[in-house]
Amino acid sequence: MAGDELKLLGHWASEWACRVRLALQLKGLTYEYLEEDLDNKSELLLMSNPVHKKVPVLIHNGKPICESMIIVQYIDEVFPGASPSLLPSDPYERAAARFWTTYMDDKLVVTWIQTFFAKTIEEKAERMKQLLAVVDTLEGALEECSKGKPFFGGDSVGYLDVMLGGLLSWLHGTEALCGVDLFNATRTPLLSAWAERFGALDDAKAVLPDIGRVIEFAKMWRAQMAATEAATADTKN
């Protein structure tokens, strides 16, 4: 819509912010991107998301919208004339897309984090087993939603492609960080081919963070968490 002002508060390594950037990029929408220092959050972020105080936040004509799932749906609804349409037009398929997005966030992301921070070999092995089971389920979801076409959305990128695509740099770093290759051409051929296909899109290349940089960021995050836990334990002793 003419005269719309869009600002996105994000962080380069945030998979959640990456989802929103993908949606904006795919729809060809002009916006101002504001990089947040998560150790020293801006007043704008704290005022725009006073409940969670997290990125991403999309500010549309002065009104903040929070949470990546909600923001991407909002973008699709408010800018219907900007192609492609991300959410399916069919109500059942729309519901299925929302279901699988929730599954990604509740199962894939949560289990990935548990695997990444596992403290023992036994715990990591168990978490990896759970993580691979989640990925196997998503392989079935891709087969169901794509109906044999290149993307979750069919012939073109859709809502689920954006939702999983935003996680792609982190998921590609899993082998280096957790010791397991998630998108294996033998075990999950559909997801493996999808990840390569999605990552080759010009819009994805413009947005997805460098995998090596994400890996280094993740290692630093893990080290900081370990140091915080050690300091807390010393305080209690």
Side-chain angles (χ1 to χ4, degrees):
M1 292 182 287
D4 281 290
E5 181 186 64
L6 291 169
K7 294 181 180 179
L8 176 62
L9 311 184
H11 183 267
W12 72 266
S14 168
E15 61 272 45
W16 318 116
C18 191
R19 285 174 165 178
V20 180
R21 295 184 71 187
L22 281 168
L24 292 166
Q25 181 78 20
L26 285 160
K27 281 185 164 286
L29 297 171
T30 300
Y31 65 100
E32 180 184 0
Y33 176 72
L34 301 173
E35 178 75 8
E36 282 289 331
D37 178 355
L38 300 184
D39 293 322
N40 185 25
K41 296 175 183 178
S42 70
E43 284 300 316
L44 181 59
L45 174 59
L46 297 177
M47 288 189 301
S48 301
N49 190 358
V51 176
H52 298 301
K53 302 177 176 64
K54 293 179 179 180
V55 297
V57 178
L58 181 71
I59 303 175
H60 181 206
N61 294 335
K63 296 179 179 178
I65 304 98
C66 307
E67 301 295 321
S68 65
M69 277 197 296
I70 295 169
I71 296 171
V72 173
Q73 291 179 39
Y74 177 87
I75 290 169
D76 205 39
E77 292 170 3
V78 173
F79 300 98
S83 296
S85 179
L86 299 175
L87 281 161
S89 58
D90 179 78
Y92 176 80
E93 292 180 359
R94 247 191 341 264
R98 288 170 173 144
F99 170 84
W100 285 116
T101 298
T102 301
Y103 183 84
M104 289 176 194
D105 291 359
D106 291 351
K107 296 295 184 181
L108 180 64
V109 175
V110 170
T111 310
W112 189 97
I113 291 172
Q114 291 170 340
T115 305
F116 179 61
F117 284 109
K119 292 182 172 58
T120 66
I121 294 174
E122 293 77 14
E123 182 188 0
K124 177 163 282 192
E126 179 58 30
R127 295 302 186 190
M128 280 185 183
K129 181 180 177 182
Q130 295 170 2
L131 184 57
L132 291 174
V134 171
V135 174
D136 288 345
T137 300
L138 286 176
E139 175 84 353
L142 175 54
E143 183 176 16
E144 173 190 321
C145 295
S146 69
K147 300 178 177 67
K149 294 181 178 179
F151 299 101
F152 280 95
D155 288 318
S156 61
V157 170
Y159 179 72
L160 276 175
D161 297 287
V162 171
M163 294 295 103
L164 186 57
L167 312 178
L168 208 48
S169 292
W170 284 86
L171 296 176
H172 277 318
T174 304
E175 187 169 9
L177 294 168
C178 303
V180 60
D181 180 12
L182 286 186
F183 293 157
N184 184 285
T186 301
R187 192 185 64 253
T188 53
L190 297 180
L191 278 173
S192 178
W194 171 87
E196 185 173 345
R197 192 179 300 120
F198 186 88
L201 296 171
D202 288 340
D203 289 326
K205 289 178 182 178
V207 171
L208 293 176
D210 176 73
I211 297 169
R213 192 180 177 200
V214 167
I215 290 170
E216 292 308 309
F217 176 83
K219 289 178 179 177
M220 182 180 67
W221 176 31
R222 184 160 54 189
Q224 288 175 340
M225 292 292 288
T228 300
E229 287 183 8
T232 302
D234 288 342
T235 302
K236 291 180 179 179
N237 291 335

